[in-house]
Amino acid sequence: MAGASTPAIRALTQAKAAHRVHSYAHDPRSDSYGAEAVDALAADLGVVAEQIFKTLVIELSTGGLAVAVLPVPRTLSLKAAAAALGAPKAAMADRAKAERTTGYVLGGISPLGQKRALPTVLDDSALRWDRILCSAGKRGLEIELAPADLIRLTSAVTASVLA
């Protein structure tokens, strides 16, 4: 999508990380942003649902927010995510707090280019793929990139965080 720029896209461009931006028509009535992205992009791009990742903001029991990035069709294990980030427990973050801290709206939260970079855990299933997709920072906009670049640019740890 020429001309579309978000903090996430700018972060990739500034880091000279190879990436492609894909857009689709976001339906404001959709209540599952990840499923909408899978439906819109998987077949066209020749990827499977497990290559499209969602970004969830969690609150660690040690204080502060963090990000868990995992395949859209899968469910997050809060316990596994907390452990990977060195905390005893985690809970899903309050929507307003997540949006305020990242600078993105729910359904468009990217692990990249956040207003305040949060500790990040990437599900280790990402390492099976040469390319994955994640939010570009806006509903209806996805970034395709190598998992290694996502790890490098977010200082993410990788762990199995699936329930």
Side-chain angles (χ1 to χ4, degrees):
M1 182 172 188
S5 187
T6 64
I9 295 168
R10 287 192 294 275
L12 284 166
T13 303
Q14 287 170 354
K16 296 180 176 28
H19 66 281
R20 290 179 55 205
V21 179
H22 303 283
S23 64
Y24 58 92
H26 164 63
D27 180 349
R29 296 166 300 184
S30 177
D31 59 353
S32 178
Y33 304 112
E36 182 183 45
V38 168
D39 291 345
L41 297 174
D44 286 350
L45 299 178
V47 298
V48 296
E50 287 76 16
Q51 283 178 271
I52 301 177
F53 282 64
K54 58 188 171 186
T55 306
L56 302 178
V57 181
I58 58 176
E59 187 146 11
L60 301 174
S61 59
T62 52
L65 299 181
V67 169
V69 185
L70 64 150
V72 166
R74 304 301 300 271
T75 303
L76 176 66
S77 164
L78 287 164
K79 185 176 182 172
L85 294 165
K89 292 164 123 182
M92 292 305 297
D94 169 72
R95 176 186 183 141
K97 195 172 187 181
E99 291 180 342
R100 190 171 51 251
T101 304
T102 63
Y104 295 121
V105 297
L106 201 69
I109 294 177
S110 177
L112 297 155
Q114 298 165 357
K115 194 176 354 176
R116 193 168 83 227
L118 298 174
T120 302
V121 59
L122 174 64
D123 184 67
D124 60 10
S125 67
L127 302 175
R128 294 196 320 246
W129 308 105
D130 62 342
R131 61 187 175 134
I132 59 171
L133 286 92
C134 65
S135 177
K138 184 178 172 190
R139 294 174 188 155
L141 210 56
E142 295 280 311
I143 300 168
E144 178 183 332
L145 75 166
D149 286 330
L150 183 60
I151 293 165
R152 177 173 58 89
L153 296 173
T154 61
S155 301
V157 296
T158 57
S160 176
V161 296
L162 304 179

